[in-house]
Amino acid sequence: MRKRRLPRIAALSGVQAAQARHVLVHSPVRAGPAVLTWTLTLVADDDVPLAESRTTSPDFPVPLADIAQVHLDVVGLEQAGEWEPLPVRRGEARFRAPVRVATPADG
């Protein structure tokens, strides 16, 4: 069975992004001597994947929230709770956090 390719997170419409319930972060992959590539997946109820994106960061401790928030901002989402570790299974997500539609800033 062929794996379905997911759209990039930034490609989601507002309606599609509003279906997201969690952001998942997978184990990073080395992308160079001092660079890591992270995979992030937005999932709806029952962990149905909606979209996936990759991002890079320096190879030193960077908070998961900082890695994910850039992608959440683009589609109008925000983290709505704490990161929780997931059981380590090869090829699967390592951490997850709940998300919600971002509250408009008071202007």
Side-chain angles (χ1 to χ4, degrees), residues 1-99:
M1 180 176 203
R2 189 173 170 195
K3 183 178 177 182
R4 178 176 70 107
R5 185 173 174 109
L6 296 171
R8 292 182 59 220
I9 292 172
L12 293 179
S13 69
V15 171
Q16 292 168 319
Q19 295 174 24
R21 296 296 173 260
H22 289 93
V23 60
L24 308 178
V25 176
H26 301 259
S27 295
V29 176
R30 184 155 306 284
V35 179
L36 298 174
T37 297
W38 300 83
T39 300
L40 295 92
T41 306
L42 283 180
V43 295
D45 291 325
D46 298 326
D47 289 334
V48 173
L50 298 170
E52 184 174 273
S53 290
R54 288 176 180 74
T55 191
T56 58
S57 74
D59 186 9
F60 61 80
V62 176
L64 291 175
D66 290 355
I67 292 168
Q69 193 58 51
V70 173
H71 294 275
L72 298 177
D73 284 344
V74 171
V75 291
L77 297 174
E78 64 186 7
Q79 188 175 328
E82 298 298 319
W83 287 97
E84 66 177 275
L86 298 172
V88 178
R89 294 186 185 120
R90 187 178 180 126
E92 293 189 18
R94 296 280 310 277
F95 300 94
R96 72 189 266 150
V99 296

